[in-house]
Amino acid sequence: MNRNTLLIIITAGLAALAGGVIGARLLAPDAPPELTVGTLLSEPRPLPEFRMTRHDNAPFTREDFRGDWSLVFFGFTHCPDVCPNTLFLLDRVVKQIEESGTPPPEVVFVSVDTVRDTPEQMAKYVEYFNPAFIGLTGDATNVQKLTQAMSVAYEFRPVDDNSGEEYTVIHSSAVLLVDPEARLRAIFTPPLKADAIANDLAKLIAD
């Protein structure tokens, strides 16, 4: 699968998640808040049962999403640019929401690199960006349950350079919003802007 094909798959998956949003708003008298940069799903998508491991070695399941809003991002710790840039941005989002006096969402970073990203590796990585961030790792089966439910595409590729890495991962760069009922509620796609995401989240959390 080449890069263009993967991008087509990612785009198609995100389009499927957002499908029907406009029609639902036209039909519903009590329409949800209009988002500036995010796309609100017309029907929240319940997450499947899964079991992963937090960066502190504690278990993490679907039930751990309940009760809080969560921003979820998929990637891997050896990512050269997209993952660190996105996690820095999510740190800014959290701080802006905190400054407004609103409880911020949890940030959950899920690794798709089940071989290299151990809990210990995840701990060193996520705590660098924000000590409150949660890093998740697990086996391929549980990773696939989440990525399929959230229409996140990724692909492993060999590395032909002098970096010393055997492979890299091409993956979706969308940020997913999970609501307090453990349902996929909205998606934020690049270009990602901290101010705009924080404003959209404030509307949803207050709704």
Side-chain angles (χ1 to χ4, degrees), residues 159-192:
V159 174
D160 297 322
D161 58 26
N162 296 320
S163 65
E165 303 289 349
E166 293 183 4
Y167 60 88
T168 188
V169 188
I170 307 300
H171 60 88
S172 168
S173 54
V175 173
L176 299 309
L177 180 66
V178 175
D179 70 14
E181 296 181 49
R183 304 176 303 178
L184 180 60
R185 192 73 181 90
I187 57 175
F188 297 91
T189 53
L192 301 172

Side-chain angles (χ1 to χ4, degrees), residues 13 17 41 45-50 74 142-152 176 184:
L17 284 177
L41 273 65
R45 179 183 293 185
L47 297 182
E49 295 285 354
F50 66 90
F74 291 81
N142 282 281
V143 170
Q144 288 172 7
K145 285 182 181 179
L146 273 181
T147 55
Q148 289 175 2
M150 301 174 112
S151 295
V152 171
L176 299 309
L184 180 60

Side-chain angles (χ1 to χ4, degrees), residues 19 22 32 48 51 57 61 85 90 92 110 127-128 158 185 192:
I22 295 176
R51 185 176 182 84
N57 280 298
T61 69
N85 290 342
L90 293 178
R92 294 200 302 273
V110 184
E127 290 175 0
Y128 173 78
R185 192 73 181 90
L192 301 172

Side-chain angles (χ1 to χ4, degrees), residues 30-80:
D30 298 322
E34 292 282 343
L35 303 186
T36 303
V37 293
T39 300
L40 201 63
L41 273 65
S42 57
E43 293 292 336
R45 179 183 293 185
L47 297 182
E49 295 285 354
F50 66 90
R51 185 176 182 84
M52 300 192 73
T53 303
R54 287 172 45 115
H55 65 276
D56 58 4
N57 280 298
F60 191 100
T61 69
R62 182 181 67 177
E63 295 306 304
D64 290 292
F65 276 123
R66 293 189 182 277
D68 295 297
W69 289 91
S70 302
L71 288 171
V72 184
F73 180 68
F74 291 81
F76 64 118
T77 65
H78 289 68
C79 182

Side-chain angles (χ1 to χ4, degrees), residues 13-31:
L14 295 176
L17 284 177
V21 171
I22 295 176
R25 287 176 177 167
L26 291 174
L27 295 173
D30 298 322

Side-chain angles (χ1 to χ4, degrees), residues 72-202:
V72 184
F73 180 68
F74 291 81
F76 64 118
T77 65
H78 289 68
C79 182
D81 42 33
V82 174
C83 295
N85 290 342
T86 302
L87 290 172
F88 274 127
L89 178 139
L90 293 178
D91 177 57
R92 294 200 302 273
V93 170
V94 166
K95 288 176 178 174
Q96 288 185 36
I97 295 176
E98 286 177 333
E99 289 171 359
S100 72
T102 301
E106 290 187 330
V107 172
V108 181
F109 177 61
V110 184
S111 174
V112 298
D113 189 349
T114 61
V115 174
R116 294 180 295 191
D117 287 341
T118 62
E120 294 74 20
Q121 174 70 12
M122 293 293 285
K124 291 186 292 184
Y125 194 75
V126 297
E127 290 175 0
Y128 173 78
F129 299 98
N130 188 311
F133 284 4
I134 297 171
L136 297 184
T137 186
D139 59 44
T141 298
N142 282 281
V143 170
Q144 288 172 7
K145 285 182 181 179
L146 273 181
T147 55
Q148 289 175 2
M150 301 174 112
S151 295
V152 171
Y154 63 98
E155 178 190 5
F156 293 91
R157 289 187 179 176
V159 174
D160 297 322
D161 58 26
N162 296 320
S163 65
E165 303 289 349
E166 293 183 4
Y167 60 88
T168 188
V169 188
I170 307 300
H171 60 88
S172 168
S173 54
V175 173
L176 299 309
L177 180 66
V178 175
D179 70 14
E181 296 181 49
R183 304 176 303 178
L184 180 60
R185 192 73 181 90
I187 57 175
F188 297 91
T189 53
L192 301 172
K193 296 183 179 180
D195 290 348
I197 294 175
N199 289 336
D200 277 356
L201 288 175

